[in-house]
Amino acid sequence: MTKDMTTGPITPLLVNFTVPLVLGNLFQLTYNAVDSIIVGKFVGEDALAAVGTSNPLMTLAILFINGVCLGAGILVSTAFGAGDTELVERQVSTTAIAGSVFSLVFSLACVILANPLLRLLQVPEEILPIAVNYLRIVFGGLLFTFFYNFLAATMRALGDSKSPVWFLAAASAINIVLDLLTVCVLGLGVAGAAIATVVSQLGSGLLCVGYLKKHFPILRMEKDDWKLRRPEVMRLLGMGVPVGLQFSITAIGSVMLQSAVNSLGAVCVSGVAVAGKIYMLLACPFDALAMAATNFTGQNLGAGKYDRIRQGTYACLFIGILYCVLYILIAQFGTRYLSLLFMNADEAASVMSYTQQLNVAYAYATPLLLGVNVLRLSIQGMGYSRLSLISGLLEMLARTAVSLWAVPAFGFDAACLASPLAWLLADCFLVPGFYGCLNARRRQAARVRKELPEE
């Protein structure tokens, strides 16, 4: 089930690789989306606000784990592109062991810190206990989050973007059934929604394990392969941790912005929560294109095909620009209808002005978001994860400045501009950074060829 991305027409290859990723991202979103829909419709506005205000912290933790998994996937894709199957096996086994230990420790820390972190974000007292309960349950299942994302990243690194979609589809169905059971039948409220999410993530991870054993001969490791090796651990730390930090640092800016929004009142918080759900839904293609760029770049880096890396990045940007036009149309004319997915009509009417304004602001800035996603992930795919970390710092600084200064001074209007400004600042670094990294890899390859003895 592996797929070599170092040969063949680039644009059709990327489209075929990206479409399943879009579907996979949509299924991934159903975990939180279904939680919000069912909580909003069957529990109430306070419960919806609690889930919404918990999302930045939950996203922060999950993004760090996803970043580590993505970094590990880059290492796998580069080894696979170079034809080094032994290194592929060693990197997979090392990440599985080291990642499991880390995830357990990280999960415990997040559970302990859930309450003080939510208080630091100025979550309204009336929804604080609900938010703490929801977060602690979700944080308790971070090990399952790691396993699914690591195994899915491994399959994508080996060229298979389709199989993880089926596992997420099954897990999403489980999540919906469990949400209805725990929230509507058992009356467990947001705790039931969190339990359903964790169990569903466990299910998707188990499905991935079974599928990998059966369909990926390259990963049928022997007992001796399941040991920690210093070179692979150091490679994982050097690539995975910076990517995880970059993902988290970017999310920290969003957490700061959420804290500023929380001070504007519960109605504003609910409106922003709904806009955030719509944004995550509509932004799936950008995330998928970024993931495609990473795996495509990693494989071609291993194969030494630098012109193909550049052409693949251009193709991802072209495909993304076409989607930007559709995004703007949907945001401009469809936000009102999409909002009804997450709350009743009466509740939606009270927050619609906030949701519409924020969603439209995001829409017109999507070309900037496209550049951030594709260029940053291409840079990471070339092995410069520490360099791409700088763009995440720039995003965090922009959102933090807006949160601390602009939102208190200008209110919700300033909050709408926080992410577009963050994307613009990051792009100012990433555009020259991409070409610099690509040229550096070319020079590095030229030096290696010059040093090789002639046959």
Side-chain angles (χ1 to χ4, degrees):
M1 298 298 292
T2 58
K3 174 65 176 178
D4 185 356
M5 303 175 74
T6 63
T7 59
I10 293 176
T11 301
L13 180 73
L14 287 170
V15 170
N16 290 333
F17 191 85
T18 300
V19 170
L21 289 176
V22 174
L23 296 176
N25 287 342
L26 290 173
F27 284 125
Q28 184 76 55
L29 284 177
T30 59
Y31 287 128
N32 291 332
V34 169
D35 287 352
S36 296
I37 292 169
I38 293 179
V39 166
K41 288 183 177 293
F42 296 99
V43 182
E45 187 174 338
D46 282 351
L48 176 63
V51 173
T53 200
S54 300
N55 276 335
L57 283 178
M58 183 173 67
T59 301
L60 178 62
I62 292 175
L63 281 179
F64 183 78
I65 289 178
N66 287 355
V68 173
C69 294
L70 177 61
I74 292 171
L75 295 172
V76 172
S77 65
T78 303
F80 180 70
D84 192 340
T85 57
E86 183 178 348
L87 180 56
V88 169
E89 293 177 344
R90 293 201 307 268
Q91 199 62 60
V92 169
S93 61
T94 298
T95 304
I97 298 170
S100 297
V101 174
F102 167 78
S103 297
L104 287 172
V105 175
F106 187 56
S107 176
L108 178 61
C110 288
V111 169
I112 294 172
L113 294 174
N115 192 316
L117 287 174
L118 285 171
R119 289 187 178 277
L120 185 63
L121 292 180
Q122 304 178 49
V123 173
E125 285 293 332
E126 63 268 23
I127 62 175
L128 179 63
I130 307 174
V132 169
N133 195 25
Y134 179 81
L135 263 187
R136 283 179 170 166
I137 295 172
V138 173
F139 283 160
L142 288 180
L143 175 63
F144 308 140
T145 302
F146 162 75
F147 261 109
Y148 167 73
N149 283 282
F150 162 58
L151 296 174
T154 299
M155 283 187 275
R156 289 192 294 265
L158 299 175
D160 182 4
S161 63
K162 297 179 181 179
S163 299
V165 176
W166 299 110
F167 310 142
L168 275 176
S172 297
I174 295 171
N175 188 46
I176 293 172
V177 172
L178 290 178
D179 265 328
L180 293 171
L181 175 64
T182 57
V183 176
C184 303
V185 178
L186 300 179
L188 298 180
V190 295
I195 292 170
T197 297
V198 171
V199 174
S200 299
Q201 290 172 341
L202 171 61
S204 61
L206 292 175
L207 288 171
C208 284
V209 171
Y211 189 81
L212 281 167
K213 286 184 177 180
K214 185 175 181 181
H215 295 283
F216 284 78
I218 193 175
L219 296 179
R220 290 176 184 171
M221 285 88 79
E222 302 297 330
K223 183 178 180 180
D224 290 341
D225 294 319
W226 291 99
K227 62 177 66 174
L228 286 176
R229 295 177 175 85
R230 180 179 175 81
E232 283 70 42
V233 171
M234 296 309 295
R235 274 194 288 266
L236 177 62
L237 292 175
M239 177 65 73
V241 173
V243 177
L245 287 174
Q246 179 260 302
F247 277 32
S248 297
I249 285 171
T250 304
I252 287 172
S254 298
V255 171
M256 295 292 294
L257 182 61
Q258 180 68 55
S259 177
V261 169
N262 288 343
S263 66
L264 301 178
V267 174
C268 183
V269 169
S270 295
V272 171
V274 174
K277 296 294 183 182
I278 295 173
Y279 162 76
M280 292 174 66
L281 177 68
L282 296 181
C284 281
F286 300 125
D287 297 331
L289 283 169
M291 196 67 65
T294 303
N295 291 284
F296 182 88
T297 299
Q299 284 199 20
N300 284 279
L301 176 68
K305 297 186 176 182
Y306 304 104
D307 284 338
R308 191 173 172 86
I309 291 174
R310 175 179 52 81
Q311 294 164 3
T313 302
Y314 288 171
C316 287
L317 291 171
F318 174 74
I319 296 168
I321 285 294
L322 296 178
Y323 178 69
C324 286
V325 177
L326 178 60
Y327 190 120
I328 291 170
L329 292 174
I330 294 173
Q332 191 74 56
F333 303 106
T335 297
R336 183 175 302 275
Y337 305 103
L338 291 173
S339 298
L340 297 177
L341 291 173
F342 304 103
M343 55 176 54
N344 297 321
D346 292 341
E347 294 171 334
S350 66
V351 303
M352 183 52 60
S353 61
Y354 294 112
T355 302
Q356 178 76 27
Q357 183 178 347
L358 184 57
N359 203 33
V360 170
Y362 285 161
Y364 283 98
T366 49
L368 300 174
L369 172 63
L370 171 67
V372 171
N373 281 11
V374 172
L375 294 177
R376 180 155 59 204
L377 272 292
S378 294
I379 289 172
Q380 290 173 352
M382 284 187 278
Y384 293 98
S385 59
R386 296 176 185 176
L387 186 61
S388 67
L389 180 62
I390 297 175
S391 66
L393 286 169
L394 292 174
E395 283 194 73
M396 182 192 71
L397 290 174
R399 289 193 177 95
T400 301
V402 171
S403 302
L404 296 179
W405 173 75
V407 173
F410 302 103
F412 185 74
D413 290 344
C416 292
L417 297 177
S419 289
L421 289 174
W423 299 332
L424 176 61
L425 189 59
D427 279 328
C428 290
F429 172 81
L430 289 169
V431 172
F434 169 76
Y435 291 105
C437 291
L438 186 59
N439 290 332
R441 284 301 187 191
R442 290 181 191 275
R443 291 192 297 269
Q444 184 183 51
R447 287 195 299 270
V448 171
R449 287 194 299 267
K450 187 176 181 179
E451 293 170 359
L452 289 175
E454 294 184 3
E455 297 182 358

